[in-house]
Amino acid sequence: EADIYQTPRYLVIGTGKKITLECSQTMGHDKMYWYQQDPGMELHLIHYSYGVNSTEKGDLSSESTVSRIRTEHFPLTLESARPSHTSQYLCASSPRLAGESYEQYFGPGTRLTVT
Amino acid sequence: AQSVTQLDSQVPVFEEAPVELRCNYSSSVSVYLFWYVQYPNQGLQLLLKYLSGSTLVKGINGFEAEFNKSQTSFHLRKPSVHISDTAEYFCAVCTSYGKLTFGQGTILTVHP
């Protein structure tokens, strides 16, 4: 059973506020990912990390930033939220072992609304 | 570059009927293939995966999928659906670099 957690689950916030979406996993996975998902749309990778102190931008450009100071923690920050940031944000992790299946385990998501 | 196309955005079906959700992919390298399910207000849960070997893959909840290399397809099937199968289903491909590319999703609605 995968153990990956996201908080908050739902967040409504005003324009211009700084927010941090939390993601933690207890599986010791090296790889972690952030996806953005608009309603009825596919997931777009916005950030990923292959380990501590490693962060990369994904396929979809995002104004958010991430950090990876600890293996289990991969928070996403928006310095100044805008209505265009309204979306669902999904965090995922996967093990980094040779020959592994590259299966990603997903958290429950954070649904962000910026008013 | 790799891409995934799910050919049906919505599939309505009656309970106990069979269903097929179609997925085609393109990639210049070998891929691993996945189907995920997403229930409302939840994250994604892995249904099944194809890595190598037998082209018919069985997953959870009675789902199965068949990898067809010549047609670059990975269609998901279930012989008899239940109301509880109502959800959105995502096909995804992964290369050896470990990054997943998702399709647009198919909303399966099972009617009583």
Side-chain angles (χ1 to χ4, degrees):
Chain A
E1 187 70 25
D3 294 311
I4 180 164
Y5 308 98
Q6 290 185 243
T7 57
R9 291 291 315 278
Y10 303 92
L11 179 62
V12 180
I13 201 163
T15 298
K17 299 290 186 183
K18 176 180 179 178
I19 57 171
T20 296
L21 308 185
E22 301 287 350
C23 176
S24 295
Q25 50 96 5
T26 59
M27 298 169 284
H29 288 169
D30 285 311
K31 296 179 183 177
M32 295 190 74
Y33 311 83
W34 276 103
Y35 293 89
Q36 184 173 339
Q37 183 186 26
D38 292 323
M41 304 292 286
E42 68 261 47
L43 285 74
H44 292 286
L45 181 68
I46 53 175
H47 298 283
Y48 61 99
S49 167
Y50 284 161
V52 172
N53 295 324
S54 153
T55 60
E56 302 285 345
K57 289 191 178 297
D59 303 322
L60 181 68
S61 176
S62 174
E63 295 168 343
S64 58
T65 59
V66 292
S67 62
R68 190 88 184 277
I69 299 173
R70 303 197 314 266
T71 297
E72 63 272 19
H73 195 214
F74 191 42
L76 181 146
T77 298
L78 276 166
E79 291 292 333
S80 180
R82 295 208 302 268
S84 61
H85 296 139
T86 294
S87 189
Q88 173 155 259
Y89 294 85
L90 290 166
C91 180
S93 71
S94 67
R96 187 181 187 183
L97 297 173
E100 269 297 307
S101 66
Y102 305 103
E103 173 183 341
Q104 293 185 17
Y105 298 85
F106 283 81
T110 294
R111 188 170 294 280
L112 173 66
T113 302
V114 184
T115 61
Chain B
Q2 57 201 36
S3 66
V4 179
T5 301
Q6 291 183 239
L7 298 163
D8 306 292
S9 59
Q10 297 193 49
V11 173
V13 65
F14 287 107
E15 193 173 20
E16 298 184 5
V19 71
E20 178 180 79
L21 307 183
R22 297 179 293 168
C23 172
N24 286 100
Y25 70 93
S26 66
S27 176
S28 57
V29 298
S30 297
V31 296
Y32 305 108
L33 295 157
F34 303 83
W35 274 100
Y36 283 86
V37 60
Q38 185 178 32
Y39 298 102
N41 299 315
Q42 294 187 25
L44 274 67
Q45 179 184 2
L46 182 70
L47 271 180
L48 48 79
K49 59 189 176 187
Y50 172 79
L51 309 178
S52 63
S54 173
T55 56
L56 183 62
V57 179
K58 293 190 183 298
I60 63 171
N61 300 340
F63 284 93
E64 64 182 30
E66 185 157 18
F67 170 60
N68 188 318
K69 188 174 182 179
S70 62
Q71 297 185 6
T72 60
S73 68
F74 190 54
H75 300 334
L76 180 71
R77 301 186 187 100
K78 186 169 182 178
S80 176
V81 294
H82 302 290
I83 297 287
S84 59
D85 292 323
T86 294
E88 189 161 17
Y89 293 79
F90 291 92
C91 181
V93 301
C94 179
T95 68
S96 58
Y97 300 108
K99 288 166 59 178
L100 280 176
T101 299
F102 286 88
Q104 302 91 328
T106 297
I107 297 174
L108 174 65
T109 304
V110 181
H111 297 285

